[in-house]
Amino acid sequence: LQVVRRAGGRLFTRSPVTRILLEAWQAVGVQLATGEQVRAARVIHNGGPARLRRLVGEENLPADYRARLRSLKDVPCGALVLGLREPLFPEVPMLLTPGARRVVGIFAPTFFDPTLAPPDRHQVDVFFPLESEDRRAELARVWEDLRTLFPRLDALVEVAVPMLFTGGWTGAESGQYVGQTGEARLSPQTPIEGLYLVGMDLQGSAVAGDIVPLGVRRLLEVLA
Ligand SMILES: Cc1cc2nc3c(=O)[nH]c(=O)nc-3n(C[C@H](O)[C@H](O)[C@H](O)COP(=O)(O)OP(=O)(O)OC[C@H]3O[C@@H](n4cnc5c(N)ncnc54)[C@H](O)[C@@H]3O)c2cc1C
């Protein structure tokens, strides 16, 4: 934030953008929910492809790009956040679980930053795709997987909070499917002059949030 301020930038928090402003097919700024318009030489969108379509207006996007954005498959997915008395896997920050029926990966944020949990407590985020509308059944399968993977699980869990994402989380809008990974993801450049993208949907091959800095680096290369 200091870097932005030192460079003469302004920060707007709790200020949803309602429109990306275009003039002569060029992005010239954004409109905030307050009605205020913020002019800028470049607009960098971090809100995912579905919001991009809404904020720019579908009618303002070239047909092939509109079709490209629409073709991206979302991934209805969920996370089960667990508060634990002991780490589930103390030696690594992340566990991929290809043999499990529903759980695909488990991340341990407190591996790197123990202050995210109270003293002597630990957090893991368990990720899984949602394969039906029956959320109770989906969660039951996740618990089955976890109990198979960690037979002592029930003795360790103090808190369990499920979070279900069906398009609301940016990272869920263009899932890492076959045909939708690596270079097949979105370019930081859009067909609209002055409008660029960053975030989870950009080109790059990585797991979860690791893909975000790769996209930022690509954008910096484009802007250099
Ligand atoms: C529960 C959970 C646990 C996770 N754990 C891990 C982990 O352990 N390790 C890991 O690497 N990744 C993890 N991830 C994934 C990681 O959070 C995402 O990959 C990453 O946040 C995606 O970054 P992004 O910048 O693309 O999108 P986001 O972080 O979603 O940022 C988009 C931002 O745009 C803002 N926005 C949206 N619309 C507007 C608007 N109209 N106007 C203004 N602002 C707007 C949103 O408020 C949001 O701040 C986790 C995700 C979840 C949900």
Side-chain angles (χ1 to χ4, degrees):
L1 302 185
Q2 284 169 358
V3 171
V4 173
R5 288 203 176 102
R6 272 204 303 271
R10 290 167 67 200
L11 293 167
F12 298 83
T13 56
R14 298 184 186 278
S15 307
V17 170
T18 53
R19 194 90 191 145
I20 293 174
L21 302 171
L22 304 182
E23 281 173 12
W25 305 103
Q26 184 171 344
V28 293
V30 294
Q31 175 151 330
L32 305 180
T34 55
E36 183 179 356
Q37 294 197 344
V38 183
R39 309 278 297 187
R42 294 184 181 116
V43 175
I44 301 172
H45 171 83
N46 186 43
R51 282 198 196 94
L52 181 69
R53 282 166 33 212
R54 280 202 301 278
L55 293 176
V56 171
E58 298 240 14
E59 67 286 4
N60 294 318
L61 291 166
D64 55 345
Y65 194 65
R66 191 166 59 221
R68 167 95 182 90
L69 294 180
R70 278 192 181 167
S71 73
L72 293 170
K73 281 198 272 177
D74 67 343
V75 51
C77 64
L80 181 62
V81 179
L82 300 180
L84 300 155
R85 293 191 182 88
E86 288 173 25
L88 278 186
F89 36 89
E91 271 137 35
V92 288
M94 180 175 101
L95 199 66
L96 297 181
T97 53
R101 285 173 64 202
R102 191 53 55 91
V103 173
V104 291
I106 308 175
F107 297 78
T110 45
F111 179 91
F112 289 116
D113 185 357
T115 65
L116 292 171
D120 297 324
R121 293 296 184 270
H122 309 269
Q123 182 192 329
V124 294
D125 303 338
V126 179
F127 280 91
F128 50 93
L130 292 169
E131 293 183 9
S132 77
E133 292 296 317
D134 185 343
R135 302 301 159 84
R136 280 180 199 281
E138 295 290 307
L139 278 170
R141 284 189 194 110
V142 170
W143 281 107
E144 273 171 36
D145 273 353
L146 290 173
R147 289 186 177 116
T148 306
L149 288 163
F150 308 104
R152 290 183 57 233
L153 184 79
D154 288 300
L156 302 182
V157 174
E158 277 190 341
V159 183
V161 182
M163 302 169 76
L164 304 175
F165 308 103
T166 49
W169 166 44
T170 316
E173 282 188 10
S174 59
Q176 289 171 304
Y177 287 103
V178 173
Q180 206 166 270
T181 58
E183 294 301 298
R185 300 179 77 75
L186 291 175
S187 159
Q189 258 171 318
T190 75
I192 294 183
E193 205 181 320
L195 178 60
Y196 302 90
L197 306 181
V198 287
M200 182 79 183
D201 310 287
L202 256 60
Q203 289 162 344
S205 296
V207 174
D210 292 348
I211 211 167
V212 175
L214 294 179
V216 172
R217 191 167 68 193
R218 284 213 179 217
L219 175 62
L220 291 174
E221 284 163 8
V222 167
L223 295 179

